[in-house]
Amino acid sequence: MPDDSAPPSLRSKRSITLRFNIPISKTSRFWEALGEGRFVTTKCADCGKVTFPPQADCPSCMGSNSQWVDLGTEAELLTFTFVQVTPTSFVDHDPYVVAIGRLKDGLNVLAWVEGGDPAKLKPGARLRVETRKDPESGPYYVFVTPS
Amino acid sequence: MRDVAIVGIGHSKFGRRMDVDLAELAFESIKGAMEDSGVQKKEIENVTLGSAGGWYEESLPAVLVNEYAGFEDVGTMRVEAACASGSAAVRSAYLSVASGEAEVAMAVGVEKMTEVDTLTSVELMGRSGSYLWEFENYGMTFPAYYALYAVSHMSRYGTTEEDMARVAVKAHHYASMNPLAQFHKEITLEKALSSQVVSWPLKLYDACPITDGSAAVIVASEEAARRLTDTPIWIRGIGFSSDSANLSKRADYVGLRATVDASRKAYAAAKVGPNDIDVATCHDCFTIAELMAYEDLGFCAKGEGSRLVREGQTEVGGRIPVNVDGGLKAKGHPIGATGVSMMVEIAKQLRGEAGGNRQASIKNGVGLVHNVGGTGHYCYVTVLSRSK
């Protein structure tokens, strides 16, 4: 916002756009499965530790023999928020509800609550994970509130 | 390990500081700390700079600041622990002296956050987690992370939006008496409660502002400290810890595990407990964060943070005054400068130099700095005292 009383500043002529290429080779199965409508994660073949988000190397025993397992989709809402001031790269997006839900096996997931009415949500509410395919941004997952 | 004391403190005016660039801003505090201590430039053996960076044009702030201040042949580095970078810088200077490597060392915290637009700052802070799983598809923001904690705390313990607003009213009250604070106007509970919702249930007045600012401390060995000052402030114990990058990996959302662990370590190192603390700065980037800090630091039982603020126990004259400099909430929160600013405030309090109605009653001569990085990603707790 222009401010006549502001001290002089030099507006830099140089600008850069940061867009990262994020390596996902070790977890690409997760994103492929999402595209097929399945919600999966990694389980350590050595010690049995299941992790979410998926990771190739086990944080428990440090083994590197992971296998893919299906995750349940029923969750209990632990907490949520209704984001009304959105960051630059979401500036054209409608405000969104984000929740952390706990799956039956004890793993937590953070995702948007699709169509979630913040006035009706509270900790303890039932949620379900569903997969989505966006033609532009690729597959992702959301929570829905079962009717 | 040798005993180490803070012998000099410097602090810039906090706020939107478009009258200075990064190095000029840092210089204000460096000069202040040198004048306060009487230390000569040649005595300072190393400088650690706390700065998160990303929102200003420089990539190597530590050498830039060193050059501007004329430090030649002086070792330096920038340290990053998000909003706890300042405490991390002080720990680095402390270790340099405690180990016997240096007699006198300096820690500087500086951040210049207003050179980019507000929503870009919001974006850069929102990426402070596990990017692919929290930001890429879900656009988390810093207020949103703390809002997840607020909703859980409200649900578990009955904490209300009004309880959180009381923290903001207290912060603005004390900032109005702090000439270095970003804001100088008192606010009412009604004003706080009716402010714009940022990420429900957190509103504009639950959130700290975006701030430019710097702070510096000079630390010294006992021998150097006795020569330099009659009022050394001893660094009695530092505890630090961390928690998961991805918030969804945590067991619950009613407190910060990193705070509990860091404070346990700091109390043990300093051989004090929460009841010995005369005055504290707690990391109130959001109002809910201050209420959780009371609990996680042991100033009250879990779930009773809101009672403490309702009863005025954390004001001057109360059982344990907290953030009577205005806190991050109203003094301002220049990310990397905040931890050092907290050290400056507690040193002033223990020296009896806070002034006017901001001065806490010092009985045991012990103060505490609680500095969180990110959403409990990092935590540093530092215990300071008048005698060792």
Side-chain angles (χ1 to χ4, degrees):
Chain A
M1 195 179 296
D3 178 355
D4 293 339
S5 66
S9 62
L10 188 154
R11 181 148 178 89
S12 169
K13 294 186 286 290
R14 317 295 167 197
S15 69
I16 51 173
T17 302
L18 285 175
R19 193 157 182 177
F20 303 101
N21 288 314
I22 303 171
I24 54 163
S25 73
K26 293 194 177 190
T27 54
S28 58
R29 177 67 201 136
F30 175 79
W31 303 100
E32 288 162 16
L34 268 190
E36 298 158 6
R38 286 173 59 206
F39 192 49
V40 302
T41 197
T42 45
K43 178 179 181 177
C44 175
D46 297 327
C47 77
K49 171 91 173 169
V50 181
T51 47
F52 186 84
Q55 62 180 75
D57 304 302
C58 179
S60 188
C61 74
M62 303 193 78
S64 298
N65 299 307
S66 63
Q67 59 194 54
W68 291 96
V69 292
D70 280 313
L71 274 173
T73 56
E74 300 300 314
E76 175 193 337
L77 188 150
L78 294 182
T79 187
F80 73 99
T81 182
F82 183 26
V83 183
Q84 300 193 22
V85 176
T86 58
T88 291
S89 61
F90 284 79
V91 80
D92 294 329
H93 210 284
D94 289 336
Y96 36 85
V97 177
V98 181
I100 294 177
R102 181 162 293 170
L103 302 173
K104 289 229 164 83
D105 57 12
L107 294 168
N108 295 347
V109 174
L110 179 146
W112 281 352
V113 182
E114 195 178 72
D117 179 354
K120 290 184 182 163
L121 290 175
K122 58 179 182 186
R126 286 173 57 219
L127 297 172
R128 191 174 64 241
V129 178
E130 290 193 356
T131 60
R132 293 285 179 270
K133 254 169 53 179
D134 184 298
E136 277 179 34
S137 65
Y140 63 104
Y141 48 96
V142 295
F143 286 122
V144 296
T145 49
S147 49
Chain B
M1 298 277 266
R2 303 192 293 175
D3 292 326
V4 178
I6 293 174
V7 298
I9 55 177
H11 201 289
S12 80
K13 171 81 172 77
F14 279 10
R16 183 174 165 80
R17 292 294 311 274
M18 285 304 288
D19 56 321
V20 284
D21 69 15
L22 186 83
E24 292 164 344
L25 182 57
F27 184 80
E28 293 180 10
S29 295
I30 292 170
K31 185 175 177 177
M34 289 180 61
E35 287 175 353
D36 179 61
S37 65
V39 165
Q40 300 301 305
K41 196 190 288 180
K42 63 179 189 316
E43 294 178 83
I44 295 172
E45 295 172 61
N46 60 69
V47 178
T48 307
L49 189 85
S51 192
W55 19 60
Y56 51 74
E57 69 282 10
E58 300 291 352
S59 292
L60 305 179
V63 285
L64 190 89
V65 166
N66 253 20
E67 178 203 278
Y68 189 84
F71 288 109
E72 291 175 8
D73 301 328
V74 167
T76 190
M77 64 176 163
R78 179 251 290 259
V79 295
E80 178 279 311
C83 322
S85 300
S87 285
V90 171
R91 178 174 176 276
S92 165
Y94 163 84
L95 285 178
S96 175
V97 173
S99 68
E101 179 192 56
E103 293 301 313
V104 179
M106 182 184 273
V108 183
V110 65
E111 211 71 63
K112 199 81 182 57
M113 301 180 71
T114 69
E115 293 180 17
V116 295
D117 64 276
T118 299
L119 291 183
T120 299
S121 280
V122 169
E123 169 122 4
L124 290 168
M125 285 184 271
R127 292 175 174 222
S128 300
S130 182
Y131 175 85
L132 185 57
W133 305 95
E134 299 182 311
F135 193 89
E136 174 74 12
N137 289 315
Y138 306 116
M140 285 297 284
T141 64
F142 215 52
Y145 289 120
Y146 271 97
L148 294 174
Y149 276 86
V151 167
S152 190
H153 204 275
M154 290 163 76
S155 169
R156 181 91 57 93
Y157 299 116
T159 301
T160 64
E161 291 176 57
E162 192 173 304
D163 292 331
M164 293 190 277
R166 282 179 209 280
V167 175
V169 171
K170 172 173 80 72
H172 280 264
H173 172 66
Y174 287 108
S176 75
M177 297 180 248
N178 181 354
L180 299 175
Q182 183 161 2
F183 299 130
H184 292 125
K185 284 189 184 144
E186 302 241 13
I187 60 162
T188 61
L189 210 53
E190 294 69 35
K191 179 167 179 149
L193 284 167
S194 62
S195 62
Q196 181 195 3
V197 175
V198 176
S199 191
W200 187 87
L202 298 182
K203 294 168 278 295
L204 188 63
Y205 277 97
D206 288 303
C208 64
I210 290 169
T211 308
D212 303 326
S214 72
V217 299
I218 296 171
V219 297
S221 65
E222 179 166 14
E223 189 187 331
R226 298 287 182 207
R227 172 170 57 79
L228 288 161
T229 179
D230 294 330
T231 54
I233 300 300
W234 301 95
I235 298 176
R236 289 276 302 281
I238 302 176
F240 74 133
S241 194
S242 65
D243 202 348
S244 65
N246 186 327
L247 241 63
S248 73
K249 295 217 165 186
R250 299 185 187 175
D252 67 40
Y253 302 93
V254 292
L256 300 180
R257 195 177 77 173
T259 295
V260 173
D261 189 52
S263 61
R264 185 180 56 76
K265 291 169 178 168
Y267 290 139
K271 299 186 177 64
V272 299
N275 292 329
D276 300 316
I277 307 298
D278 289 326
V279 60
T281 55
C282 291
H283 198 90
D284 62 323
C285 47
F286 295 92
T287 51
I288 184 64
E290 179 164 324
L291 297 177
M292 292 194 301
Y294 297 165
E295 302 166 0
D296 296 339
L297 292 166
F299 297 165
C300 63
K302 195 69 211 163
E304 293 191 352
S306 50
R307 184 177 59 78
L308 228 54
V309 75
R310 274 201 300 268
E311 292 176 354
Q313 299 287 3
T314 52
E315 297 171 21
V316 170
R319 192 158 63 75
I320 176 156
V322 172
N323 293 340
V324 294
D325 57 354
L328 281 58
K329 172 68 199 80
K331 180 181 64 178
H333 181 27
I335 306 285
T338 283
V340 187
S341 167
M342 289 173 153
M343 305 286 171
V344 169
E345 164 65 6
I346 294 301
K348 272 189 199 169
Q349 288 283 349
L350 294 177
R351 288 175 178 182
E353 294 174 357
N357 295 325
R358 287 212 316 106
Q359 179 63 51
S361 165
I362 304 299
K363 302 182 195 82
N364 302 319
V366 183
L368 179 143
V369 168
H370 167 245
N371 190 194
V372 173
T375 315
H377 293 103
Y378 308 80
C379 183
Y380 286 69
V381 174
T382 306
V383 175
L384 303 175
S385 73
R386 229 164 28 181
S387 55
K388 62 176 186 99

